[in-house]
Amino acid sequence: ELKVEQNPLFLSMQEGKNYTIYCNYSTTSDRLYWYRQDPGKSLESLFVLLSNGAVKQEGRLMASLDTKARLSTLHITAAVHDLSATYFCAVDAVGGYQKVTFGTGTKLQVIP
Amino acid sequence: IAGITQAPTSQILAAGRRMTLRCTQDMRHNAMYWYRQDLGLGLRLIHYSNTAGTTGKGEVPDGYSVSRANTDDFPLTLASAVPSQTSVYFCASSEAGTQYFGPGTRLTVL
């Protein structure tokens, strides 16, 4: 059974600081996703990481994937209040999209 | 382009009642999914469909059923609602793995 763990579960940080959210998964995977969810809203796709060593960046967010370590990171650079949200990683088990498993999410609060 | 729509937005339901949550997409994606989101548990897959005419069970399928008569629609039915089914329900469709989520339905079963 594929397990996906995120840490920390909750992160409070000041504007301007850097921090990293970690996503570990338990079995071989084809691909890894990061999503953002604002309070009371739906999920929005941020990144799709398809191979070992993949790195993607969008604004102040950068995601990377190490398939050998079964680890993805979401790095936040110089955080701003607008980044406050819950961030989820999700992993495809090998064999199909229907096996996507989500982590429990990291709630990020950026304090002005 | 609407993407994915869900109805109703929210619903309060008496235990034992039957309820169908509706989901429609206009992106012509083959794969569709139903998740429930509960505090501290993230999203859990209820049922999925790889293409019209096929469905499969996810992580928490008990008490729920789905159908996929065509590409666009993927309704979720609770045959006899119980309080533990109180949750926020998200429908999603996918293209090349990335999932696109609907706005969600907040369901309260009393």
Side-chain angles (χ1 to χ4, degrees), chain B residues 42-78:
Chain B
L43 274 80
R44 293 182 291 168
L45 181 65
I46 304 171
H47 285 287
Y48 64 90
S49 169
N50 286 335
T51 190
T54 69
T55 62
K57 294 182 179 180
E59 181 184 356
V60 289
D62 294 342
Y64 306 95
S65 63
V66 291
S67 62
R68 188 87 184 277
N70 56 62
T71 297
D72 297 344
D73 300 302
F74 191 42
L76 176 74
T77 297
L78 289 67

Side-chain angles (χ1 to χ4, degrees), chain B residues 77-96:
Chain B
T77 297
L78 289 67
S80 180
V82 295
S84 63
Q85 292 177 311
T86 293
S87 187
V88 179
Y89 291 86
F90 288 101
C91 178
S93 68
S94 74
E95 179 72 22

Side-chain angles (χ1 to χ4, degrees), chain A residues 56-77:
Chain A
K56 291 200 174 177
Q57 183 164 5
E58 179 75 30
R60 299 174 188 274
L61 300 177
M62 183 174 71
S64 64
L65 178 62
D66 181 345
T67 58
K68 294 179 181 177
R70 297 177 184 164
L71 170 69
S72 179
T73 60
L74 181 66
H75 187 73
I76 303 151
T77 301

Side-chain angles (χ1 to χ4, degrees), chain B residues 6-78:
Chain B
Q6 291 183 237
T9 301
S10 65
Q11 181 75 43
I12 299 174
L13 188 66
R17 297 297 295 268
R18 180 183 179 91
M19 176 74 191
T20 295
L21 307 185
R22 299 185 297 279
C23 174
T24 299
Q25 56 121 344
D26 63 3
M27 297 176 283
R28 308 300 294 172
H29 291 166
N30 282 322
M32 296 187 74
Y33 313 83
W34 274 104
Y35 293 91
R36 58 178 290 173
Q37 185 176 30
D38 302 291
L39 201 61
L41 296 176
L43 274 80
R44 293 182 291 168
L45 181 65
I46 304 171
H47 285 287
Y48 64 90
S49 169
N50 286 335
T51 190
T54 69
T55 62
K57 294 182 179 180
E59 181 184 356
V60 289
D62 294 342
Y64 306 95
S65 63
V66 291
S67 62
R68 188 87 184 277
N70 56 62
T71 297
D72 297 344
D73 300 302
F74 191 42
L76 176 74
T77 297
L78 289 67

Side-chain angles (χ1 to χ4, degrees), chain A residues 97-110:
Chain A
Y97 308 147
Q98 66 271 22
K99 304 292 188 185
V100 172
T101 300
F102 280 77
T104 52
T106 296
K107 186 173 183 179
L108 172 65
Q109 182 181 42
V110 181

